[in-house]
């Protein structure tokens, strides 16, 4: 086959792969079609890889085979062993490796040109794309590794803040840009090497320092932002090595990451700037109303026992379960499903109210409840459940705090004012499961826990639920 025909075939395969990527992404947007979407995207990736390998530019397959085997083994091991609950960490690592891969592609091209193997047709364009690949890839790599460490609790989830942090970060960014500009316009081999080394190192440092002041609870936003950056790095790498499908796939990852980041910021009613630079969750939150003044929260916490909780639930006909981060911590999803089934057998209608940012990753509650085989139809989104809340006999809040905090709806001085919440306080009785007086990620006290119709069922959520379930079981046995 001559070079022209093979180029046409390869580019056609790239177009097919790109169309399948877009279709796959679209199907991932709905639970019913998500599995097929994942499969279609996988097939698209296979087509892209095969087409790239058939490209006449490949001169030696040995290292490629080593890479393919190693990647396949690691990928299979992760798919088999990594738990659904560790997905945020997994995604963080994958983003990081995506960034690192792009950085290596950029560096390899730099040394190839420097070695005199190739002379770029458009030197400034090539240098600029190498610079962007390394800059974005480097920030993505170390930023993602830091996010991984926070999520895996290898590092504290608290934001790390120090005086002059913004100035330090701005100076680092400025130095990275300056090194890049000199690199792109300079033709001197020595200056090229020094500036290349400088911006590579600076971008790696910048990734770390940019994620430092962001709290563990905000990591999901950062991860989707880093995901977007890993896509942009891949896109830039696509320009460096002249690979069309890498450019398209990189753009798709980049834009979908931006959309997800925007959705999450909207669900928290916070801007991306606030997430990136405010150090949210660093210390007990203060009222915006005055210097160091805490939002006033009045009333008393009224504990309830498992037996009394059983009595309340036994009489209930409309029950809504509102899960939050604490359900993930206590791994209570299977017990929650068991309680829901018992309540249904007892004649109650049970719904699960899902807040878009409950937990620590987008769709965190959906994933946990799906793992426990809770039917999709029982999961109701925040906007759909809120109008029904006044008709609910009981709202069971399981380890959720910020996402049910009425201050977000009522207290204009609260840092979370304006964040959409599930209006648990409108239910006739509210039973809140938590271990003690711990605040949520925002560090704010929660007025919901002090309302006259709220009772606190203290303890680890899983244990507390098991207590209630055994009351139902002993009733059935007697
Ligand atoms: P939350 O506000 O962090 O509250 C979790 C609650 O769970 C705490 O009050 C804690 O109280 C309780 N808890 C912890 N372990 C428990 C256990 N073993 N058993 C029972 N209770 C337990 O959680 P949330 O209401 O789900 O809100 C999520 C927060 O993360 C929001 O501030 C949101 O903005 C933020 N966030 C989420 C995302 C996302 O993608 N999901 C993204 C960015 C930010 P005790 O310590 O007293 O038990």
């Amino acid at each position: 086959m001559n070079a022209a025909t093979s180029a046409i075939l390869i580019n056609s395969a790239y177009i097919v792969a790109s169309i399948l990527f877009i279709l796959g992404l679209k199907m991932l947007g709905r639970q019913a079609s998500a599995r097929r979407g994942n499969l279609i995207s996988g097939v698209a990736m296979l087509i892209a890889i095969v087409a790239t390998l058939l490209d006449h530019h490949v001169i030696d397959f040995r290292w490629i085979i080593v890479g393919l085997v190693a990647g396949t083994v690691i990928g299979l091991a992760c798919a088999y062993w990594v738990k659904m609950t560790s997905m945020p960490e997994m995604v963080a690592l994958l983003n990081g490796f995506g960034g690192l891969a792009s950085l290596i592609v950029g560096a390899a091209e730099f040394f190839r040109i420097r070695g005199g193997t190739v002379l770029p047709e458009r030197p400034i364009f090539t240098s600029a794309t190498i610079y962007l690949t390394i800059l974005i890839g480097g920030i993505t790599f170390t930023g993602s590794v830091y996010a991984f460490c926070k999520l895996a609790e290898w590092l504290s989830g608290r934001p790390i803040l120090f005086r002059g942090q913004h100035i330090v970060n701005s100076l680092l960014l400025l130095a990275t840009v300056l090194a890049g500009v000199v690199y792109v316009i300079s033709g001197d081999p020595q200056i090229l090497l020094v500036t290349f080394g400088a911006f590579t190192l600076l971008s790696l440092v910048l990734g770390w320092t940019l994620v430092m002041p962001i709290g563990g609870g905000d990591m999901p936003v950062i991860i989707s932002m880093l995901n977007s950056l890993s896509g942009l790095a891949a896109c830039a790498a696509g320009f460096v090595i002249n690979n069309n499908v890498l450019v398209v796939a990189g753009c798709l990852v980049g834009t979908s990451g931006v959309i997800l980041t925007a959705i999450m910021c909207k669900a928290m009613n916070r801007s991306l700037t606030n997430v990136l630079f405010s150090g949210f969750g660093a210390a007990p939150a203060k009222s915006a109303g005055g210097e160091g003044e805490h939002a006033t929260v009045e009333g008393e916490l009224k504990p309830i026992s498992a037996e009394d909780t059983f009595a309340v639930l036994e009489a209930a006909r409309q029950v809504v379960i509102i899960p939050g981060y604490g359900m993930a911590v206590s791994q209570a999803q299977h017990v929650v499903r068991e309680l829901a089934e018992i309540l249904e057998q007892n004649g109650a209608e049970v719904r699960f109210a899902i807040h878009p940012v409950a937990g620590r990753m987008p769709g965190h509650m959906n994933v946990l409840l799906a793992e426990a085989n809770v039917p999709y139809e029982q999961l109701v989104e925040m906007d759909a459940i809120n109008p029904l809340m006044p008709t609910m006999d009981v709202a069971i809040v399981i380890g959720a705090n910020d996402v049910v905090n009425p201050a977000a709806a009522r207290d204009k001085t609260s840092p979370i004012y304006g964040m959409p919440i599930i209006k648990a306080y409108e239910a006739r009785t509210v039973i809140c499961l938590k271990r003690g007086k711990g605040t949520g990620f925002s560090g704010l006290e929660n007025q919901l826990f002090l309302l006259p119709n709220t009772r606190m069922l203290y303890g680890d959520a899983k244990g507390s639920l098991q207590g209630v379930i055994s009351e139902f079981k002993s009733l059935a046995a007697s």
Side-chain angles (χ1 to χ4, degrees):
M1 195 188 307
N2 64 28
T5 323
S6 104
I8 290 173
L9 282 179
I10 285 167
N11 278 322
S12 309
Y14 284 165
I15 291 171
V16 172
S18 303
I19 292 171
L20 291 180
F21 277 140
I22 294 167
L23 273 178
L25 259 183
K26 181 144 178 50
M27 293 169 95
L28 283 170
R30 283 187 30 242
Q31 277 156 346
S33 56
R35 275 168 192 261
R36 251 180 316 135
N38 204 18
L39 192 72
I40 288 183
S41 308
V43 171
M45 187 54 86
L46 184 69
I47 295 174
I49 291 173
V50 172
T52 306
L53 292 183
L54 293 178
D55 198 327
H56 60 278
H57 292 307
V58 178
I59 44 172
D60 190 344
F61 277 90
R62 276 172 298 181
W63 282 108
I64 291 175
I65 291 169
V66 172
L68 268 180
V69 172
T72 307
V73 170
I74 296 171
L76 280 177
C78 290
Y80 191 74
W81 276 300
V82 175
K83 289 190 194 143
M84 278 313 259
T85 45
S86 302
M87 273 304 139
E89 291 97 305
M90 182 74 202
V91 174
L93 263 194
L94 292 178
N95 286 341
F97 289 142
L100 180 63
S102 300
L103 184 145
I104 292 172
V105 169
E109 192 63 11
F110 169 78
F111 286 110
R112 200 162 75 104
I113 295 169
R114 192 175 165 76
T117 326
V118 283
L119 282 179
E121 280 170 31
R122 294 172 292 166
I124 291 196
F125 178 80
T126 306
S127 301
T129 51
I130 289 179
Y131 167 67
L132 285 175
T133 306
I134 297 216
L135 171 70
I136 310 173
I139 292 177
T140 309
F141 175 55
T142 45
S144 301
V145 170
Y146 199 162
F148 166 81
C149 292
K150 282 202 175 188
L151 286 169
E153 292 178 5
W154 293 2
L155 288 173
S156 158
R158 287 247 169 249
I160 297 178
L161 305 170
F162 58 86
R163 199 180 266 274
Q165 195 159 24
H166 295 327
I167 298 174
V168 171
N169 279 343
S170 307
L171 287 177
L172 277 171
L173 186 64
L174 192 71
T176 318
V177 173
L178 273 180
V181 171
V182 176
Y183 169 79
V184 172
I185 57 178
S186 167
D188 183 279
Q190 205 49 39
I191 294 179
L192 278 177
L193 187 64
V194 171
T195 48
F196 172 82
F199 69 69
T200 304
L201 195 70
L202 283 168
S203 60
L204 290 169
V205 175
L206 204 55
W208 196 264
T209 57
L210 281 176
V211 180
M212 240 171 141
I214 301 164
D218 276 337
M219 278 305 125
V221 187
I222 297 315
I223 285 176
S224 51
M225 199 192 82
L226 290 166
N227 177 253
S228 165
L229 287 181
S230 76
L232 294 180
C235 175
F239 281 111
V240 169
I241 58 169
N242 245 326
N243 184 301
N244 294 342
V245 80
L246 196 52
V247 173
V248 174
C251 281
L252 288 175
V253 175
T255 43
S256 50
V258 168
I259 293 170
L260 186 58
T261 310
I263 290 175
M264 272 193 283
C265 287
K266 193 170 163 232
M268 296 188 293
N269 195 35
R270 289 167 60 200
S271 65
L272 185 60
T273 326
N274 179 282
V275 173
L276 289 177
F277 303 115
S278 71
F280 196 81
K286 289 168 183 152
S287 155
E291 272 286 298
E293 177 196 325
H294 290 264
T296 41
V297 175
E298 284 162 8
E300 60 168 329
L301 295 161
K302 295 165 286 296
I304 188 170
S305 63
E307 298 84 59
D308 290 345
T309 306
F310 155 73
V312 174
L313 287 175
E314 217 264 322
R317 287 297 158 262
Q318 292 291 333
V319 178
V320 58
I321 297 175
I322 308 169
Y325 178 59
M327 183 182 83
V329 176
S330 97
Q331 289 291 296
Q333 62 274 21
H334 294 276
V335 199
V336 175
R337 197 242 315 126
E338 195 183 345
L339 178 67
E341 282 172 2
I342 291 175
L343 289 171
E344 284 185 320
Q345 283 156 18
N346 191 47
E349 189 175 351
V350 181
R351 297 175 177 90
F352 288 82
I354 308 296
H355 192 287
V357 294
R360 293 290 182 268
M361 70 169 187
H364 202 171
M365 298 301 118
N366 303 61
V367 168
L368 290 178
L369 294 172
E371 189 210 352
N373 291 324
V374 172
Y376 284 140
E377 309 78 61
Q378 278 190 343
L379 272 50
V380 187
E381 288 184 12
M382 176 173 62
D383 292 339
I385 198 74
N386 272 341
L388 303 178
M389 285 317 283
T391 66
M392 292 294 145
D393 295 320
V394 184
I396 314 176
V397 178
I398 303 177
N401 196 335
D402 291 344
V403 298
V404 287
N405 191 339
R410 298 169 174 174
D411 177 4
K412 285 194 175 155
T413 66
S414 171
I416 59 165
Y417 180 71
M419 168 174 159
I421 55 158
I422 294 177
K423 295 178 179 166
Y425 59 88
E426 288 186 350
R428 283 184 202 116
T429 306
V430 184
I431 296 177
C432 295
L433 280 72
K434 65 202 296 284
R435 296 162 306 179
K437 293 183 179 171
T439 55
F441 166 60
S442 67
L444 288 167
E445 297 297 335
N446 194 336
Q447 184 82 52
L448 174 72
F449 304 149
L450 305 164
L451 294 178
N453 58 334
T454 301
R455 295 292 177 275
M456 306 297 294
L457 181 54
Y458 288 119
D460 176 74
K462 190 173 174 181
S464 301
L465 289 167
Q466 278 164 339
V468 179
I469 289 173
S470 38
E471 293 294 325
F472 271 102
K473 285 186 176 163
S474 29
L475 175 76
S478 62

